[in-house]
Structure formats: structure tokens, C-alpha cells
Amino acid sequence: MKVPEMPPVDPAAIENMVLALGAIGGHSGTGVCRTAYSPEWVAGQKRVETWAREAGLDVRTDAVGTLWARAEGAEAGPVIVTGSHIDSQRAGGRYDGALGVISGLVALQTLTATFGAPRRTLELVSLCEEEGSRFPSAGFWGSRAIVGKSAPADCDTVQDAAGQTIGSAMRDVGLDPAQIGTARRDDIAAFIELHIEQGPVLEDANLPVAIVDAITHIRQTEVTLTGVSNHAGAFPMDLRADPMAAFAEIAAAVIGHAEALQRPAVTTVGRCDVIPNAGPIIPKSVTFTIDARHPDETSAMTMYAVHDRIMDEVAARRGVSVDRRVLIDLPACPSDPALLEALQNAADTAGIQNMRMASGAGHDAQQMARICPIAMIFVRSKDGRSHTPEEFSSAADIAAGTDVLIGALYRLAYLPEDADASRDL
């Protein structure tokens, strides 16, 4: 079946929505500070709700505060969902997460205004606490609730920096933590998340849009090397059990390993705590983090095994002990082939230049993959900036990404079941 021409997105109109939402919790001129369950976050969700109602969508809020806006389909069955989150870093940018919510809203508004009710129900979702910027151990709180991985018991143990529990923060905005289980969904056929790239790959390729074929495996490990603290001048080098020397060798080796593997492997040593941390003293211990990522699961596991061997060998040779604790371990998440086909067809039909790439960051889509097929669209980030007020994506690039989303959602939700990639969902 021939796909009709999609109505173009107005770049100025969508940019105005970005600026209007960005003004709620505005920070540092061009940035945003809008953390989960804060007054700014509540006001931002209300702004999205108002826009959704004006677009003729049915709106509800689930037990954790996630906003859903629904365009009811003519046929019963699982729904097609798009969206992202509006919570931010402290302070972050206007585009991270929020762009996926705005583009999803524009997509549903455009499709229903142009073609009427869809065959399959479409829903927009605006999730909560993706960032973990207020409650560090509650990242992906909204999407984890949808897939049944957030529990009422967490509400009494998860705290922000001020000591307030996430359950107390929920009650402050009128939510009942005991009802978290009701947020779970088992009727979602597919989830497509539009997001800024948050890196420089698209800009380096001079392309506006990428179709994301996988989300990287993320493993963050805390490592403690323990030796013997002594005088920095009186102890000969060959008699030391120096954890700092071991750390320096390990850090260089694991980073060098990722450099040798080349893209898309990445490894970062992001934090280092030294005890006693004084100039004339050989340290007693060094605790640091290794954040290592690869979108191919087999390659990721091989990389982690190499890191462990490096640490064990260096520690044994230098006479220090090594202890490892995995803080985060999110497996690689490949995108669904049928969704990739729908996105690629939409981009090609609209004449939008694009590339395939993996996401080096974690996203709500990674959680949603527990219950449904997923895929993502990336929009170019100027200078690769993100998690900063300097974050920026041009109106033209945003419009291009939204055009791809509109075309894909049309194929999935409007075409007859056997007409396109939607047959496999």
C-alpha cells in the first residue's frame, strides 16, 4: 500500500514548545533544573498535559506520576507508544528527554489531525526520574514501574541528598506509593523514543538524524585497591605495596584497551578517592570507578573479562589487594528489526539523510525492552553537548527527527496489518 505524503513539521512551532517547556525550571540562561517531584517538574508535566488535551488526546497520570496521552485506535489490541522524560540534571539542558516528549506530542497531534483516529491506539508517555538526578538510586523510576521493576518497598529506602524518601516526595505531589504496582503495563506492542544524541557522532558525519540500532551495555564497577601506607621518601620503590601505582597502571590499561578496540567501545575512569590523600604519603587505598560500555553483548562481556584480568595481574604483581563491586549493569539492548524497518522507510520516503548508530547512553527504552520491542531516533547535538545548559539541537534537525517519527508511527498505527513492518509487532 502506498504511504501518503506526511504533513511537514513546522520547525518554528516545535522550537517554541521547547522554549516554553524549558522556561519551567529555567536555569543558567539556557538550561533547566527540573528534578523529579519538584514543583518545576509538576508544572512541566501540567504543561504537557495541557498541550495534550488541546490536541484532543485522552490524558491520565499513573501511580508514579508518569503522564499518558492516548489517541484511541479503531481496533482493540496492544498500543504503540512514543515519548521520553522531562526531568533534568541539576542543571541540564532544554532538550535531553523533553524533546522526545514534545516530538511525540507533535507526532500524535499531526497524525490525528491529518488522518483521524489510528487503526491501532497510539500513546504519548512523559516519564519521571529517568536521570536519577534527585534520587540517584531511582534512575528510570517511571519506566521501571511500567515494567514491574519499581516496588512500594523502594519508596522507604530511596532518598535524595536531603534525606527525603522518594515515597515522601510522591505523597507531597498527591501520589500514593502503595499503588506503584498499578503502573505496570502489559499491553504495549512497541516503544519508539526520540532523543538528542548527546554526543558528537552525527555532527562529525554532518547528518541531522540517526536510527539507533542498539543501546549499549553499561557496566559501572567500583574498585578498591588496598596496600600499605608509608613514608613517601624513606620507602624504596621495590619494597612498596602502593595502590596508587597499581591504580595508575590499571587506569591506563583499561582505557588503552577501549582505544585499541575502537568505536563503539568506551571506558571511563570517572571517580578516584585516595586515602590518606596527602603529598608525602604512600596511600593506603585507592577507590575508583570504571564505566565500560559496548552495544554488542558478546564484545561487552569480553571487554569486562579483560578488565578483570588486568586488575588481578597488576594487583598481584604490585602486592596490593583488589575488591570489585558492580554498581550498574544494564545489558545491551538491540533495536527491533521491524521498528528499524519502519523508521528507515519513513526517513527514506521523507528524503531525510540519516545513519545507523548505537546509543552510548542509557535510556528509558532500555527498560521498556523488558516488555516490548523498542527503537530510537537520535537528533544531532551541537558540539555533542548534553547534561549542560549549553545543550542545543537546531529547529531544522528537530523537525527532521520528528518527521521520521511521524512517518514510522503512521506505518505502525495506520496502515493495514499486512502492509508494512507493523505486521511483525
Side-chain angles (χ1 to χ4, degrees), residues 394-405:
S394 73
D397 287 352
I398 292 169
T402 306
D403 284 339
V404 174
L405 179 62

Side-chain angles (χ1 to χ4, degrees), residues 143-219:
S143 53
R144 285 196 290 122
I146 293 167
V147 303
K149 295 297 181 180
S150 294
D154 297 334
C155 295
D156 297 324
T157 58
V158 174
Q159 297 183 348
D160 64 12
Q164 184 176 17
T165 66
I166 196 168
S168 172
M170 290 173 66
R171 284 187 286 269
D172 285 349
V173 298
L175 300 169
D176 182 0
Q179 299 300 311
I180 282 180
T182 65
R184 187 168 186 172
R185 299 283 297 266
D186 60 3
D187 62 338
I188 298 176
F191 178 64
I192 300 177
E193 183 174 7
L194 183 146
H195 206 280
I196 60 169
E197 183 200 345
Q198 301 180 279
V201 175
L202 278 170
E203 188 165 78
D204 185 60
N206 194 28
L207 292 171
V209 169
I211 295 170
V212 178
D213 53 19
I215 303 174
T216 193
H217 188 137
I218 304 172
R219 179 176 291 182

Side-chain angles (χ1 to χ4, degrees), residues 292-313:
R293 311 186 185 200
H294 200 294
D296 177 76
E297 189 65 15
T298 300
S299 299
M301 298 310 294
T302 300
M303 182 168 65
Y304 304 146
V306 169
H307 289 180
D308 287 347
R309 287 198 300 271
I310 290 169
M311 286 184 269
D312 290 342
E313 187 278 324

Side-chain angles (χ1 to χ4, degrees), residues 211-234:
I211 295 170
V212 178
D213 53 19
I215 303 174
T216 193
H217 188 137
I218 304 172
R219 179 176 291 182
Q220 190 176 106
T221 305
E222 182 182 79
V223 183
T224 297
L225 302 170
T226 304
V228 180
S229 182
N230 276 300
H231 194 286

Side-chain angles (χ1 to χ4, degrees), residues 255-281:
I255 292 170
H257 180 62
E259 291 172 339
L261 291 175
Q262 300 183 334
R263 297 183 186 181
V266 292
T267 296
T268 303
V269 176
R271 174 172 63 82
C272 181
D273 298 317
V274 183
I275 298 174
N277 199 25
I281 303 174

Side-chain angles (χ1 to χ4, degrees), residues 404-420:
V404 174
L405 179 62
I406 289 170
L409 292 178
Y410 179 87
R411 286 163 169 79
L412 296 168
Y414 281 84
L415 290 183
E417 189 169 355
D418 60 351
D420 205 90

Side-chain angles (χ1 to χ4, degrees), residues 25 75 85 102 112 120 130 151 163 231 262 279 292 299 326 333 415-416:
E75 299 178 6
H85 62 94
I102 291 170
T112 55
R120 305 176 70 176
E130 189 268 359
H231 194 286
Q262 300 183 334
S299 299
V326 175
C333 178
L415 290 183

